[in-house]
Amino acid sequence: MKVKLLKMEIMMDANKALKPATVAEWLDTTVGALAQMRYMGQGPKFVKIGGRSVRYMEADVLSWIEAQTRQQTGEQVTA
């Protein structure tokens, strides 16, 4: 499946593990900002490999992006 994201066309592979630099590029942010998001529990789900290496599963990143879609700027109200 092809996905267009931030002017890039990405071939989606749900099992592909992405490095933080790749995810930062997709999100138009920095690797440091991604690290802060991990610390705060606010970004996409990630995997720790060997205790230090961080990877993001492509499907998790795309799901997280989809979950960020909003129709208003105020807080969302849940039923």
Side-chain angles (χ1 to χ4, degrees), residues 10-37:
I10 301 161
M11 290 299 294
M12 185 175 168
D13 177 358
N15 295 320
K16 186 174 183 181
L18 305 171
K19 292 182 178 182
T22 301
V23 176
E25 184 179 344
W26 285 12
L27 301 179
D28 195 26
T29 191
T30 65
V31 173
L34 275 180
Q36 187 68 22
M37 292 167 77

Side-chain angles (χ1 to χ4, degrees), residues 18-59:
L18 305 171
K19 292 182 178 182
T22 301
V23 176
E25 184 179 344
W26 285 12
L27 301 179
D28 195 26
T29 191
T30 65
V31 173
L34 275 180
Q36 187 68 22
M37 292 167 77
R38 286 193 305 272
Y39 176 76
M40 301 295 289
Q42 297 175 342
K45 292 192 288 184
F46 62 95
V47 177
K48 294 274 291 213
I49 300 170
R52 291 190 58 123
S53 294
V54 172
R55 296 294 183 269
Y56 293 88
M57 300 311 291
E58 188 168 312

